[in-house]
Amino acid sequence: MTFENYMLPCLNKTLFGFDCMGCGFQRALLAVFQGQFIKALWLYPAIFPLLLLATTVVLSKFYKFKFHQKTINLLSLISIGTIITNYLIKLTLL
């Protein structure tokens, strides 16, 4: 059984013919779960900052550590910057 058959199609790509800023996230997440970290990085470079951000947000709900809000803010900026940079590179190269 392959999980790729159950992935959601990109509505933006289906309707307009070009990738959105989230294209590749599902495949990259699947690659991370399969232990293919380099492949995940190539599919969607923002996967690791986003996973780190999600983990930090969840942990900060249970354990308030020093500078948790600043850490979340920094990881958010890194994630957004990585997403936008990756998208602009995709647009210019394709």
Side-chain angles (χ1 to χ4, degrees):
M1 177 170 91
T2 176
F3 290 106
E4 292 182 7
N5 295 337
Y6 299 102
M7 290 187 182
L8 298 172
C10 177
L11 189 60
N12 191 52
K13 193 168 189 171
T14 303
L15 293 177
F16 303 115
F18 57 91
D19 291 349
C20 68
M21 288 191 188
C23 278
F25 177 77
Q26 291 181 91
R27 291 178 286 133
L29 190 60
L30 181 62
V32 167
F33 288 147
Q34 293 174 342
Q36 301 173 345
F37 302 113
I38 302 298
K39 181 179 178 182
L41 186 65
W42 279 105
L43 288 171
Y44 195 70
I47 189 72
F48 295 114
L50 286 171
L51 288 175
L52 191 57
L53 174 63
T55 304
T56 305
V57 168
V58 170
L59 288 177
S60 71
K61 296 299 179 191
F62 299 107
Y63 308 105
K64 298 294 182 195
F65 52 92
K66 192 174 183 180
F67 305 119
H68 70 278
Q69 192 57 50
K70 287 185 180 184
T71 304
I72 291 171
N73 291 345
L74 178 64
L75 287 171
S76 298
L77 289 174
I78 291 170
S79 297
I80 291 169
T82 307
I83 291 168
I84 291 172
T85 303
N86 180 50
Y87 185 68
L88 291 174
I89 289 170
K90 273 186 185 179
L91 284 179
T92 57
L93 294 179
L94 299 177

